[in-house]
Amino acid sequence: MIRINTPLDDEMICDIYAGDEVLVSGVVYTARDKAHRRFIEALKRGDELPIDIRGQVLFYAGPAPAKPGEVIGSIGPTTSSRMDPFTPELLSRGLKGMIGKGPRSESAKRAIKENKAIYLVATGGAAALLSKCVKRARVVAYEDLGPEAVYELELKDFPVVVGVDCRGKDFYVEFSNRKSKK
Amino acid sequence: MKEIHVRELTKVVEELCIESNYNLRPDVLLALKKSLEIEESDIGRTVIQQIIRNAVIARSEKLPICQDCGIVNVLLEIGQDVSFVGGLIEEAINEGVKRSYKSGFLRKSVVDDPCFDRKNTGDNTPAAISLRLVPGDSVKVVVMPKGGGSENVSVVRMLLPGDGPKGIKSTVLEVAKNAKANPCPPVVIGVGIGGTFDSVGFLAKKALLRNINERNEDERYSNLEVSLLEEINNLGIGPGGLGGKVTALAVNIETYPCHMACLPIAVNFGCCALRSAEKVL
């Protein structure tokens, strides 16, 4: 099993390929629809983002609340394509990775390739299991958004599959090509 | 007339919201386990195994199966010899939702104004409530928390009578193909056929409430369910959308009479964390 640690650098990213199963450890930041909108609005105003995204990974997720004594509630990926319109801008500013579910748009994939980034896919419907890989969690921005706030999470061996690699290869397309060739 | 205090309704809705969010339906769990016998893709098998392990953890540790604890669909089948006392039915239901999403540590996913403000209501209310009058003096309460991913790829379409079974089939296949990985496969596909523009969507949702390992009683529709499942599972989308044989666990069809000029169809996806629970008052 391939293991990677955040923050990500080019060498690490170029070493993994679409379809690889990977375990992610280290800090990632949650961001969904509304946080993305606010990121882009802040950049338009010329403001700094509330987090330094250079080399970082965004996890498209909004967790369930933590029970007393627990780090976090159930947490799993939301549909990535809703974030596609915002992705090229964030990648051009140094974002290196994303965790979500489902295929990406052509423009998002192009930006992933151009910026040597990576898109990782986690299993939807396994949020209780995935929550066990979160060792630390705190809200770092947009607390008013509730479950859509930006959380800083520390992951340990969080299981993903590489959806789009830094060469722009898309596993969702690759496996369907393989199938049609049969 | 049998009297039921609305506080009973609140209590039952609270219990059912928590029960359905923590416990994967037994019919879905069984179908997932059986699907391992036919899934050949390694990644596909890993995804199914994760989903099964997830259900075990959620049940034993009392955690929501999915972080998306949904908007709550509530279906009330009210015996017409029942009289509710002590308050309003809708308020009682929403109070039950509110209490359970707080006490059960469930994610609140409902926003108020859909188009402009989109501000989280903070307690997961209001529920999407359907009321139906039935004979008798009991009340059946059905609760179905429904996530956004599986709703977003669902479709209502007004086919024409001439489209017939062929049109039904091609519509379901097209919708399943376009949904790709987004509704969290392996999915359950609820299909409503007939009724009216507004009621066919409800029919499709109701189809998801039926045991997914039982087929429609009408042989023609059960054949349609079986052949649709086979064709959908030949699309290759697979568990998690990462390729494989098991894209869907079942296709459930429900029907209703319709206008002679119409053939409404609705396709409502249930994700691999298809949740519902019911109780009779």
Side-chain angles (χ1 to χ4, degrees), chain A residues 67-148:
Chain A
K67 287 187 168 177
E70 298 291 329
V71 173
I72 202 160
S74 295
I75 182 165
T78 194
T79 305
S80 305
S81 58
R82 295 201 314 273
M83 268 50 81
D84 282 342
F86 312 109
T87 295
E89 174 77 30
L90 297 178
L91 288 171
S92 75
R93 296 192 183 247
L95 178 70
K96 277 292 181 186
M98 297 146 286
I99 303 174
K101 70 172 165 92
R104 308 303 304 258
S105 69
E106 288 306 320
S107 66
K109 284 193 274 184
R110 215 177 305 124
I112 288 170
K113 187 180 174 183
E114 281 166 9
N115 295 286
K116 274 203 185 138
I118 197 157
Y119 169 54
L120 306 164
V121 176
T123 298
L129 175 77
L130 295 176
S131 73
K132 302 292 165 195
C133 305
V134 180
K135 300 302 168 195
R136 194 171 53 78
R138 66 183 181 114
V139 174
V140 289
Y142 311 150
E143 193 158 11
D144 61 301
L145 296 181
E148 295 202 67

Side-chain angles (χ1 to χ4, degrees), chain A residues 19 21 32 34 62-63 65-68 74 76-77 79 101-103 123-129 132 147 171-172 175 179, chain B residues 22 43 47 50 53-54 57 61-62 64-67 105-108 118 180-182 184 234 236-237 241-243 272:
Chain A
E21 292 181 60
R32 296 174 45 106
K34 277 186 193 147
K67 287 187 168 177
S74 295
T79 305
K101 70 172 165 92
T123 298
L129 175 77
K132 302 292 165 195
F171 187 59
Y172 288 108
F175 78 69
K179 183 176 177 289
Chain B
Y22 291 173
I43 290 184
V47 169
Q50 283 178 340
R53 260 167 52 217
N54 182 70
I57 291 173
E61 298 190 23
K62 298 190 189 310
I65 308 166
C66 182
Q67 80 286 345
F105 296 91
L106 305 176
R107 196 184 81 184
K108 293 88 180 162
R118 295 192 66 85
K180 301 184 191 115
N182 295 337
C184 292
N234 281 335
I237 295 169
L242 294 168
C272 61

Side-chain angles (χ1 to χ4, degrees), chain B residues 21-40:
Chain B
N21 267 296
Y22 291 173
N23 304 306
L24 189 61
R25 266 168 46 175
D27 57 329
V28 178
L29 190 56
L30 179 67
L32 282 166
K33 286 179 179 164
K34 276 204 286 196
S35 77
L36 278 173
E37 292 165 17
I38 54 168
E39 186 51 76
E40 292 166 355

Side-chain angles (χ1 to χ4, degrees), chain B residues 144-248:
Chain B
M144 183 189 214
K146 195 79 171 54
S150 57
E151 290 283 280
N152 277 349
V153 287
S154 297
V155 165
V156 172
R157 204 169 283 169
M158 302 304 283
L159 300 184
L160 298 174
D163 295 325
K166 215 175 146 198
I168 297 285
K169 249 180 133 167
S170 62
T171 303
V172 177
L173 274 176
E174 180 204 318
V175 171
K177 201 174 172 187
N178 290 341
K180 301 184 191 115
N182 295 337
C184 292
V187 292
V188 177
I189 300 183
V191 181
I193 307 173
T196 54
F197 174 77
D198 56 311
S199 67
V200 72
F202 181 65
L203 217 50
K205 188 148 285 174
K206 238 179 90 178
L208 294 174
L209 293 171
R210 201 179 81 210
N211 185 320
I212 67 167
N213 302 310
E214 285 170 13
R215 304 276 50 85
N216 191 297
E217 282 177 12
D218 183 324
E219 202 186 338
R220 296 164 303 168
Y221 288 107
S222 89
N223 287 340
L224 198 53
E225 290 176 342
V226 171
S227 64
L228 270 171
L229 179 64
E230 196 183 321
E231 290 190 41
I232 288 164
N233 284 344
N234 281 335
L235 292 174
I237 295 169
L242 294 168
K245 274 187 169 348
V246 186
T247 302

